[in-house]
């Protein structure tokens, strides 16, 4: 019996991308983001989630898609990573799917997209699985933490 993983599938510019459902806190409609002065340019701003500040990453930019303004139809997926929350803006959340771990095709480690951890084969095409832990590199993490700390003083 092989293990399976629940994936939340979403799309950006028609690309179908998935993340492990275990890391998803919730999905919310796009809202106004407060700027975070000094944050990396891959961070769009801060979302106020019922009083909890959530930095929101520009996954479009990370994946090399054309940048655009936040639209009212966009959705923000909120992830729990270690002790903090992090959001990403997506065009649309599609579905939750089960994928057998043996159907996951790993992407080579030296790929230009270090935040992609595998590409499961699904009946209707390839879906990239985004590793949330690697979404921001260490320099971006430091820059974001510093910018947030400065904004609280």
């Amino acid at each position: 019996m092989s293990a399976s993983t629940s994936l939340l599938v979403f799309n950006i510019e028609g690309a179908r991308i998935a993340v492990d459902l275990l890391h998803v806190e919730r999905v919310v409609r796009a809202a106004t983001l407060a700027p975070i002065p000094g944050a990396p340019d891959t961070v769009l701003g801060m979302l106020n989630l019922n009083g909890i500040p959530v930095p929101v990453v520009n996954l479009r930019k990370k994946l090399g898609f054309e940048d655009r303004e936040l639209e009212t139809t966009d959705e923000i997926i909120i992830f729990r990573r270690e002790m903090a929350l992090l959001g990403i803006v997506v065009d649309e959340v599609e579905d939750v799917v089960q994928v057998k771990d043996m159907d996951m095709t790993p992407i080579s480690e030296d790929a230009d997209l270090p935040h992609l951890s595998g590409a499961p084969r699904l009946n209707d095409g390839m879906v990239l699985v985004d590793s949330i832990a690697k979404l921001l590199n260490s320099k971006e993490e430091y820059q974001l933490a510093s910018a947030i700390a400065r904004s609280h003083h």
Side-chain angles (χ1 to χ4, degrees):
M1 190 116 178
S2 77
S4 69
T5 304
S6 295
L7 301 175
L8 179 71
V9 180
F10 58 91
N11 87 54
I12 295 178
E13 294 293 326
R16 297 181 72 237
I17 305 167
V19 290
D20 192 329
L21 192 60
L22 278 177
H23 303 296
V24 176
E25 182 75 15
R26 70 174 85 169
V27 177
V28 297
R29 281 252 172 255
T32 303
L33 302 176
I36 309 171
D41 63 355
T42 51
V43 175
L44 290 169
M46 189 75 76
L47 173 70
N48 180 339
L49 185 68
N50 304 324
I52 301 167
V54 179
V56 177
V57 172
N58 187 346
L59 191 58
R60 284 177 172 287
K61 192 171 216 166
K62 292 291 261 182
L63 296 178
F65 291 114
E66 190 174 321
D67 210 1
R68 66 165 172 76
E69 292 294 312
L70 199 60
E71 295 178 1
T72 55
T73 56
D74 289 339
E75 295 178 283
I76 299 175
I77 302 173
I78 310 294
F79 298 97
R80 181 165 298 287
R81 355 180 355 251
E82 297 167 13
M83 299 304 291
L85 296 177
L86 185 72
I88 60 169
V89 175
V90 303
D91 295 352
E92 173 189 33
V93 172
E94 289 183 13
D95 203 1
V96 173
V97 297
Q98 294 290 321
V99 177
K100 288 189 178 117
D101 291 347
M102 65 183 208
D103 290 342
M104 300 277 271
T105 305
I107 293 176
S108 69
E109 288 300 316
D110 60 355
D112 290 336
L113 302 169
H115 44 282
L116 299 178
S117 59
R121 288 187 204 100
L122 299 179
N123 295 337
D124 57 354
M126 194 66 81
V127 176
L128 300 176
V129 179
D130 196 49
S131 173
I132 298 310
K134 299 177 186 170
L135 196 54
L136 294 174
N137 64 37
S138 55
K139 181 181 176 186
E140 291 168 326
E141 288 275 6
Y142 177 78
Q143 219 177 333
L144 177 60
S146 298
I148 291 171
R150 280 192 306 274
S151 72
H152 289 305
H153 291 337

